[in-house]
Amino acid sequence: MTETSMASTNVTAQWHTLREGLYHSEYRADFAVSRTTIVQLSENRYLVYSPGKNNVLGAEQIIPASAEVILLAPAYAHISGIQLWAEQFDHAQIVATDKVAKRLGALQASILEPESLSLPNGISLHVLPENRMGEVWLQVTKPEGEYLLVCDALLNLARLSPKKWVRAIQWLYGLRLGLQVTPVFRKSVANKPAYRDWYQANFSQLKPLTLIPCHGEILAGESVAADILTVIQQRFS
């Protein structure tokens, strides 16, 4: 498999099927474009990774009203849509790491304990070590390969905003085109060698790998895991 970017041409609340049981939608958030991903865990159980405030409508076409729904806030800045999704689905459970749960306040998120969620075989959560943003990744193993959902730790931008003032802000935040680690995320990692070694030990050999970032294009191929390792080694040397 060659490495390919799977680009969405329009930023709308329309949902797209990546494969059976795996759906994603892009939406505008502040001066960036973000992605929400729905993972079907069983016949009537779903996990929503980074619920967005502008794409809850239409999700009911994927998730039945009676379903149990895990709403995962995967990082410190990804909480804006949690309340809307919790109101949309009666059987919703909000989960987050302790750093993120404190920001959710009255929404009373459960502190993330992956083993207590009874996730099916082939689906696992990974709390990033030494990370002040409280980020969590989601790994999905399928017969055709691995899928890795990441939040702010990795971006894969194909374009910056066409608006000059927005593009200027993006540039100040260190946003660039292609696979990257931003300066903001790099600063959030307290022990950089430990984080680098953690990725290498757990993810660098996954192939083929489909990277599903919250920000940027989906990237799939045999070399994706190794390419990520290269970027991480450069930024966390």
Side-chain angles (χ1 to χ4, degrees), residues 129-161:
E130 307 290 341
N131 179 237
R132 299 185 184 97
M133 292 182 177
E135 178 151 341
V136 181
W137 293 355
L138 177 64
Q139 181 181 355
V140 180
T141 301
K142 295 294 183 182
E144 69 273 14
E146 303 285 342
Y147 296 82
L148 188 62
L149 282 63
V150 305
C151 194
D152 293 326
L154 290 161
L155 283 64
N156 184 40
L157 303 180
R159 65 191 69 83
L160 297 178
S161 174

Side-chain angles (χ1 to χ4, degrees), residues 10-237:
N10 297 315
V11 180
T12 69
Q14 183 179 0
W15 287 88
H16 305 276
T17 302
L18 188 60
R19 72 170 317 278
E20 185 179 359
L22 200 56
Y23 313 90
H24 70 104
S25 170
E26 291 181 319
Y27 65 97
R28 291 209 174 274
D30 298 325
F31 59 86
V33 175
S34 194
R35 171 179 285 105
T36 298
T37 304
I38 296 174
V39 180
Q40 185 172 5
L41 303 177
S42 63
E43 183 177 353
N44 207 37
R45 193 165 182 247
Y46 296 78
L47 186 149
V48 183
Y49 187 90
S50 190
K53 62 182 179 180
N54 297 325
N55 62 1
V56 65
L57 295 179
E60 72 280 358
Q61 299 176 22
I62 300 169
I63 303 175
S66 61
E68 176 187 346
V69 182
I70 299 171
L71 302 176
L72 175 59
Y76 195 78
H78 284 245
I79 63 172
S80 63
I82 293 289
Q83 183 171 350
L84 291 174
W85 281 75
E87 293 170 351
Q88 178 75 18
F89 296 101
D90 293 335
H91 306 288
Q93 175 190 8
I94 303 169
V95 297
T97 58
D98 55 350
K99 294 181 178 68
V100 179
K102 292 174 182 177
R103 290 203 71 201
L104 290 167
L107 290 177
Q108 298 180 337
S110 300
I111 303 300
L112 177 64
E113 296 179 358
E115 63 278 2
S116 69
L117 293 178
S118 300
L119 297 176
N121 292 335
I123 297 180
S124 54
L125 291 169
H126 304 275
V127 179
L128 275 62
E130 307 290 341
N131 179 237
R132 299 185 184 97
M133 292 182 177
E135 178 151 341
V136 181
W137 293 355
L138 177 64
Q139 181 181 355
V140 180
T141 301
K142 295 294 183 182
E144 69 273 14
E146 303 285 342
Y147 296 82
L148 188 62
L149 282 63
V150 305
C151 194
D152 293 326
L154 290 161
L155 283 64
N156 184 40
L157 303 180
R159 65 191 69 83
L160 297 178
S161 174
K163 298 180 180 178
K164 290 185 178 180
W165 70 271
V166 176
R167 192 163 62 248
I169 295 174
Q170 292 175 330
W171 193 260
L172 287 173
Y173 271 85
L175 302 190
R176 303 293 186 267
L177 301 184
L179 188 63
Q180 64 163 316
V181 174
T182 66
V184 173
F185 181 80
R186 185 180 185 278
K187 290 178 181 178
S188 77
V189 178
N191 187 329
K192 292 171 176 55
Y195 173 70
R196 179 194 63 214
D197 294 345
W198 171 81
Y199 175 84
Q200 184 168 8
N202 291 281
F203 305 100
S204 62
Q205 299 302 314
L206 299 179
K207 63 173 69 171
L209 176 66
T210 299
L211 176 70
I212 308 176
C214 281
H215 305 291
E217 306 300 328
I218 296 172
L219 192 63
E222 295 285 346
S223 67
V224 171
D227 292 341
I228 293 171
L229 177 61
T230 298
V231 171
I232 288 178
Q233 287 175 329
Q234 291 170 348
R235 297 294 285 159
F236 295 94
S237 58

